[in-house]
Amino acid sequence: MSIVPKETIEVIAQSIGIPNLSPDVALALAPDVEYRLREITQEAIKCMRHSKRTVLTADDVDSALNLRNIEPIYGFASSDPLKFKRAIGHKDLFYLDDREVDFKEVIDAPLPKAPLDTAVVTHWLAIEGVQPAIPENPPIEAIVAPPDGKKMDHGKDDSLPIDLKLPIKHVLSRELQMYFDKIGELILGRADTPLFKDALLSLAKDSGLHPLVPYFSYFIADEVSRNLNNLPILFALMRVVKSLLSNPHIHIEPYLHQMMPSIITCLVAKRVGHQISDNHWAIRDFASKIVASICRRYGHVYHNLQSRLTKTLIHAFLDPSKALTQHYGAIQGLSALGPSVVRLLILPNLETYMQLLDPEMQLDKQKNELKRKEAWRVYGSLLLAGGSCLYDRLRLFPGLLSPPDILPWKTNKKIALTNLPNNKRKASSRLTAHQPPTKKLAVDPTGTNSQFPSTDGPVTSSSSGSNPNHHHSHNSSNNNSSSTGNITNANANINNVSGSGAHGQRVAVSNVLRQAWKEDLDAGHLLSSLHGLFGEGIFSFIQPAEMHCFI
Amino acid sequence: MEEEVEKAVFAYLRKKGFRLTEIALQEEQTRLSSDASSLSRSESDAAKYYDGYGKLRSWAYNSLDSYRHELLRVLYPVFIHCFMDLVAQGHMQEARTFFQTFREDHEMMHLRDLQKLEGILSPSHLEEMELARLWRQNKVKIRLCQYSYELLVQYLHKTQSLAMLGVINEHINFEVYPGQPASMSDDSEAVFLIGTSQDLAREINQKELHWGLLEDSVEERMEKTLSESDKTEVDGNKEADTEDNNKKKTDGNKHSTAVNNKKKKDKVVGATGKTIRSESSMVSVPPRVKPELTLPQFPPEVEQSILEDLRNRVQLNSLALPSVSFYTFLNTHNGLNCSTISHDGSLVAGGFSDSSVKIWDMAKIGQPGRASNPQGENGSMQGMHSLASDEAKRPYSLLQGHSGPVYSVSFSPFADFLLSSSSDNTIRLWSTRLNANLVSYKGHNFPVWDAQFSPMGHYFATASHDRTARLWSVERIQPLRVMAGHLSDVDCVQWHPNCNYIATGSSDKTVRLWDVQTGNCARLFIGHRSMVLSLAISPDGRFMASGDEDGTIMLWDLSTGRSVSPIIGHSSCVWTLAFSCEGTLLASGSADCMVKLWDITSSMKALKTDDSKSGPASRLRLLKALPTKSTPVYTLRFSRRNLLFAAGALSAGS
């Protein structure tokens, strides 16, 4: 009858020292207990309202008890709402999670930080009825992005994207319009001025920009497709994207779908900028970082974001008809997503891909200097991806290198060491072979730099130094002891990449790589197979401590 | 012999048309004659209530469309009384099931009452609970049109549902009126009024109310300075009592001052805003009344600053919205109970649940938000600077003295003094210059929920859990008047601008207006459906706004005592309301983290067009909703220059 069951009364009676309360008494008391409870609750709610709160606290109940001249219940003082837990197996039974506290623990614990003192700050909630867009005010939610279709239609017949807002019921303040115009002007015209840096900072920090996001996203998409040949503009646009993404006051998720295509374009486009003179590799690297950061931040919100992205990239990577530049972008994008993605998607395909790539890298197979350069670039990025993946494995499980593998590697190392002078000579000869045409091709000095970018250390070293090791590794698997034969056979061996002698090992290598995605993969096996493909270059990714195992 | 009398009685009843009484009599007879055992009878009784009400309900819901809403009104009191009868007869279980079965119907209108009544579980509770006692002791009055009444009587006759008949006879008074049923929109009438309160309200609200402004106020003198030549005419306006008389005078006044304004415009350069203001106020110049209290005089320099403010006042209307400066309390740890802002916005005070009161001097902090209102930094404030220099470490002055949570704080008109009321039953007066407690007023027996300084200072009013509101003067430690009459806690109090009345809002869901001279209730406003939390009276003294726990804001016409327009203003408690200086805008602040601005002029115009007719024809128009960043709005205050100040505590977990 009453919501307080008589059992509760009995339990309470027991707890205050009345062991055998007759059931009749309990039954008679129950309704009154409920009534009193309601009474106290009603008073407590009054106290809560007068404290200008909407959540009832223990203090309110105490005040209500005070009002009725009842002693308050001690031990529940807390200014925060109490946290109740549901008893397992009961639908409507809750209890306070009241941990037992060890006195010693409390005494020994460092003093908690003193609570901050109350302070008053002022801001303008509205100026003549209009809310200024400052961090103190909530972001303006009322503005709804116009539907895409409408936007596209209008964009076609109107070259200026700023005019888009005309048909849309979306009031953009004059200041914002001017801001947008200025930013657009900077991107297209003066991206190298210090002013542009300030603009990027403003884009990354200002809180009132949310209404402009749809315009920016459209602007970026539009300009990227239009200026694929103009590297500085593309760079400027990507930096704007990065700034917008880092702005904590902007709610950018609804516009991601519009921005992603342009970023991916910058990443895997066949031609970005002038192939020869511009450092289009840098923008691919930059775009890959942006893509990775987007995936990290919004991956949990859009579950298919990363899967769709990787699908696009892996398509670009595995399609042999695509240009090497595209492959490079895809590899960079995938490796930026983290070592697990590399393990899952790149390593299983590594071997087949290397077969494809190898001829491109050889002086005698690929006569086009530019193509060869590109191939080396791709090779470098693959090495970086594989290496960082390996590094990650070793960092996580340092003890994973299995002893049996050490022995052969030791011998290998020796050979490598003995080979060193040769390698150097070879490398230098290769360099000298490269240099003159490069200079010829690159008219401006920046172009030469970009051919051999000093910025990415591993890539440079791998492209110049690891190639001889590469020959050598196959060689050594065939012919463990002879170093002289190695030198003489070097070129021949490379041509025999799929030769019968190497075949046995090859199967093993591909097997290992195919298993690469498995968590419990032996890092040693992974290392050996990667070494099989990349040679010594892979060692630069292993920490010195682990290196000791090999020497 | 007996039978003869009986027959005569029946004949008499029939002749007079007391059909219900007749039926009741018959029922009584049958009950007496039936000699069933008490136990079986009581059991069948319980079932009778259940069935009877169920049938009445389905009948009412299936009745004719145009009469249905009237008949449905009958259901609620019948429901409550059936429940109480069952409880009184000791059928706890049956009462519970009955209540649970049918409560849904009434939840929309009477949720809070139902929640209270739900707790009644034994006959003794009926005695104890205020609400229940009121229901039992008083009759509910229901207005029904002729035909609805006949329908009901016919139904009761036909079904011979004696239990229902008994309940209806015993507890409901029907007020039958001829003609068609009133329209559905008459919703405020449908809210049930217990007992005689409606009559009482009607009676009270017929009293004369001098809602006009004070004669010889600063504002009036301001107008006088603008129209020196027409002084006599303005003065003649003050005794205007009746509406017609007033209008005539207003017209005359309008003409003369308008002409005068044109003359003055060339001379007074800085008074452009002022001239517009006076033109707008001429639309209806409120009548002038004499103060009933001896009011203090403002010192000349203070008056000068008021005049300065009035001259610089920004004109606000539905097109020109105010600027809002928001004071956010940080790190309050859920401890801030109340706040207040001085008229010029230079001082902000907060009352905390740890019994302390803290005052921030915004001039000292030097916030840019105050730049437009520099009047606080006049000479008198300089003394305070040097005095407070030893406390320079703290950015605020801490006032300690209360021994319980502080529930309200209020500045005197010139921020010299601060009042605070607390759950320790006292009200304390503090000097903001000395940062010291001056007086502790003891008189209330329970926590004091609200304290407000009068617009002229010197007097203040308090509201308490002891169901009284009290009027005090700062120089006496005993209250001057005790206003008793509310049926539950008095939760908020507000002064009428002419200082002759105070308004109080209560947990009994009513708002009352009290005459400070007599201490009598001058108006009773019924219409809220939950506890009234905030009040504001328009500067011309004619309208009052009240906000409640559910987020409803109601606008009342003080002169007639009627509701102008009820609105669902917010989704949560309305903590604060404020009228702009011309009375054109109403600002409301709520627990839903919003400041909303409402257009008052449009609803007033609508009121004027059908002044004779009653009924809430118009609705308040929302002009602007300003959301804050998870900061419930505790206080709103329009400065004399029409800058809106708001304050609130940033709630944790954001």
Side-chain angles (χ1 to χ4, degrees), chain A residues 1-4 28 30-36 38-39 42-43 45-54 57 59-60 63 66-69 79-81 114-132 134-139 207 249, chain B residues 92-93 96 115-116 118-121 125 128-129 321-334 336-338 352 358 360 362 365 367 369 372 394 396 407 446-447 449 465 488-489 491 507 531 533 549 572-573 575 591 595 624-629 634 643:
Chain A
M1 177 179 70
S2 157
I3 56 167
V4 180
D32 204 52
V33 167
E34 186 189 336
Y35 180 79
R36 299 295 154 200
R38 285 173 182 276
E39 197 180 2
Q42 179 194 314
E43 298 300 312
I45 287 171
K46 275 182 197 166
C47 292
M48 171 185 81
R49 293 295 182 215
H50 285 287
S51 300
K52 303 247 191 320
R53 273 185 277 108
T54 45
T57 65
D59 285 344
D60 295 325
S63 311
N66 262 331
L67 283 180
R68 298 275 147 171
N69 271 330
S79 57
D80 298 322
L116 292 168
D117 202 1
T118 312
V120 175
V121 293
T122 63
H123 71 270
W124 288 108
L125 184 66
I127 295 171
E128 290 177 356
V130 181
Q131 273 194 297
I134 48 175
E136 287 89 346
N137 285 333
S207 59
H249 306 287
Chain B
M92 292 306 141
Q93 193 58 55
R96 228 347 121 88
Q115 279 168 351
K116 270 185 204 162
E118 202 177 13
I120 299 175
L121 290 165
H125 294 157
E128 216 168 310
M129 188 188 271
L321 296 178
S323 298
V324 188
S325 180
F326 201 96
Y327 298 103
T328 312
F329 287 81
L330 303 176
N331 310 318
T332 55
H333 312 289
N334 277 336
L336 185 73
N337 284 354
C338 55
F352 291 80
K358 295 171 185 171
W360 281 263
M362 302 318 283
I365 298 173
Q367 291 291 327
S372 63
R394 249 192 255 121
Y396 53 84
Y407 286 123
F446 277 106
W449 296 134
H465 177 70
S488 186
D489 302 39
D491 293 301
S507 290
M531 168 179 178
L533 289 168
E549 214 180 351
S572 187
C573 309
W575 296 133
V595 175
K624 189 88 185 169
L626 303 166
T628 67
K629 216 173 189 178
Y634 289 2
L643 180 65

Side-chain angles (χ1 to χ4, degrees), chain A residues 212-283:
Chain A
L212 283 180
V213 174
Y215 299 104
F216 272 125
S217 65
Y218 180 73
F219 179 79
I220 287 161
D222 196 43
E223 291 300 320
V224 163
S225 61
R226 195 179 317 179
N227 290 303
L228 264 180
N229 288 326
N230 193 337
L231 198 66
I233 287 185
L234 284 182
F235 236 111
L237 286 167
M238 286 301 110
R239 286 166 79 180
V240 167
V241 169
K242 188 160 179 270
S243 294
L244 286 175
L245 282 169
S246 63
N247 191 326
H249 306 287
I250 287 180
H251 181 63
I252 207 162
E253 283 157 66
Y255 308 102
L256 275 182
H257 69 278
Q258 236 171 339
M259 290 196 173
M260 280 308 267
S262 3
I263 305 171
I264 295 176
T265 304
C266 286
L267 183 61
V268 295
K270 193 172 176 188
R271 279 170 60 84
V272 180
H274 296 291
Q275 208 76 0
I276 302 155
S277 58
D278 287 336
N279 182 6
H280 62 97
W281 310 106
I283 196 166

Side-chain angles (χ1 to χ4, degrees), chain B residues 229-282:
Chain B
S229 53
D230 296 16
K231 197 174 181 180
T232 46
E233 207 156 339
V234 180
D235 269 343
N237 206 11
K238 69 187 172 190
E239 288 299 331
D241 261 351
T242 60
E243 203 72 23
D244 294 7
N245 201 356
N246 184 20
K247 266 179 192 160
K248 265 180 226 160
K249 295 267 179 183
T250 322
D251 289 344
N253 193 17
K254 185 194 280 179
H255 186 70
S256 59
T257 31
V259 171
N260 195 47
N261 279 337
K262 270 173 200 161
K263 268 190 271 171
K264 284 283 160 187
K265 248 178 199 170
D266 322 316
K267 292 178 195 169
V268 188
V269 185
T272 43
K274 186 63 216 157
T275 44
I276 303 165
R277 202 203 74 81
S278 54
E279 265 163 25
S280 78
S281 72
M282 271 178 294

Side-chain angles (χ1 to χ4, degrees), chain A residues 275 280-281 323-328 331 353-363 365-383 430 434 451 459 462-463 467 534:
Chain A
Q275 208 76 0
H280 62 97
W281 310 106
L324 282 169
T325 46
Q326 285 169 290
H327 289 166
Y328 175 82
I331 294 162
Y353 187 77
M354 286 307 274
Q355 291 173 21
L356 204 79
L357 189 64
D358 262 340
E360 295 286 315
M361 296 194 298
Q362 301 311 318
L363 191 61
K365 289 267 165 152
Q366 176 57 266
K367 295 293 182 216
N368 187 339
E369 182 71 16
L370 192 69
K371 283 272 167 63
R372 209 161 60 237
K373 286 258 156 52
E374 284 175 0
W376 279 107
R377 270 286 188 171
V378 174
Y379 178 80
S381 72
L382 274 175
L383 178 66
R430 189 161 272 283
H434 280 200
Q451 289 292 322
V459 177
S462 63
S463 59
N467 185 29
F534 289 118

Side-chain angles (χ1 to χ4, degrees), chain B residues 225-530:
Chain B
T225 54
L226 284 173
S227 55
E228 284 150 327
S229 53
D230 296 16
K231 197 174 181 180
T232 46
E233 207 156 339
V234 180
D235 269 343
N237 206 11
K238 69 187 172 190
E239 288 299 331
D241 261 351
T242 60
E243 203 72 23
D244 294 7
N245 201 356
N246 184 20
K247 266 179 192 160
K248 265 180 226 160
K249 295 267 179 183
T250 322
D251 289 344
N253 193 17
K254 185 194 280 179
H255 186 70
S256 59
T257 31
V259 171
N260 195 47
N261 279 337
K262 270 173 200 161
K263 268 190 271 171
K264 284 283 160 187
K265 248 178 199 170
D266 322 316
K267 292 178 195 169
V268 188
V269 185
T272 43
K274 186 63 216 157
T275 44
I276 303 165
R277 202 203 74 81
S278 54
E279 265 163 25
S280 78
S281 72
M282 271 178 294
V283 176
S284 65
V285 170
R288 300 285 159 178
V289 294
K290 282 204 168 76
E292 288 175 13
L293 298 166
T294 39
L295 291 170
Q297 287 294 318
F298 289 135
E301 70 266 18
V302 166
E303 204 162 286
Q304 211 55 48
S305 82
I306 295 181
L307 287 174
E308 175 74 29
D309 281 344
L310 292 182
R311 229 170 276 136
N312 290 321
R313 179 178 288 174
V314 182
Q315 170 76 13
L316 293 184
N317 53 44
S318 54
L319 298 171
L321 296 178
S323 298
V324 188
S325 180
F326 201 96
Y327 298 103
T328 312
F329 287 81
L330 303 176
N331 310 318
T332 55
H333 312 289
N334 277 336
L336 185 73
N337 284 354
C338 55
S339 66
T340 188
I341 305 164
S342 67
H343 262 293
D344 59 3
S346 63
L347 294 181
V348 183
F352 291 80
S353 57
D354 63 359
S355 318
S356 66
V357 176
K358 295 171 185 171
I359 304 178
W360 281 263
D361 186 347
M362 302 318 283
K364 248 192 274 177
I365 298 173
Q367 291 291 327
R370 287 199 53 266
S372 63
N373 225 355
Q375 86 171 64
E377 300 121 298
N378 51 23
S380 62
M381 303 300 275
Q382 296 304 320
M384 192 176 153
H385 282 226
S386 59
L387 203 134
S389 59
D390 55 324
E391 291 189 329
K393 261 191 270 173
R394 249 192 255 121
Y396 53 84
S397 18
L398 179 67
L399 308 177
Q400 282 174 316
H402 281 295
S403 60
V406 179
Y407 286 123
S408 82
V409 280
S410 167
F411 277 112
S412 69
F414 291 93
D416 309 336
F417 302 106
L418 178 76
L419 270 181
S420 63
S421 74
S422 158
S423 77
D424 63 7
N425 311 349
T426 65
I427 303 109
R428 281 173 189 267
L429 182 73
W430 311 81
S431 162
T432 53
R433 301 195 182 172
L434 304 172
N435 287 333
N437 188 204
L438 303 176
V439 197
S440 167
Y441 302 95
K442 291 168 186 158
H444 283 292
N445 304 321
F446 277 106
V448 188
W449 296 134
D450 198 7
Q452 290 293 329
F453 253 113
S454 86
M456 305 295 280
H458 193 73
Y459 298 97
F460 63 92
T462 57
S464 165
H465 177 70
D466 64 13
R467 301 181 183 186
T468 63
R470 297 181 191 215
L471 176 76
W472 311 68
S473 103
V474 288
E475 55 197 12
R476 278 165 215 272
I477 57 162
Q478 290 297 322
L480 303 177
R481 296 282 182 280
V482 177
M483 282 83 168
H486 276 298
L487 303 173
S488 186
D489 302 39
V490 186
D491 293 301
C492 53
V493 64
Q494 193 65 54
W495 283 82
H496 192 274
N498 67 15
C499 296
N500 291 339
Y501 299 96
I502 59 170
T504 55
S506 163
S507 290
D508 67 9
K509 299 163 201 169
T510 62
V511 178
R512 283 171 188 254
L513 194 71
W514 308 85
D515 188 326
V516 292
Q517 188 56 46
T518 60
N520 288 335
C521 182
R523 286 285 181 275
L524 176 56
F525 303 97
I526 299 166
H528 277 292
R529 289 184 188 160
S530 56

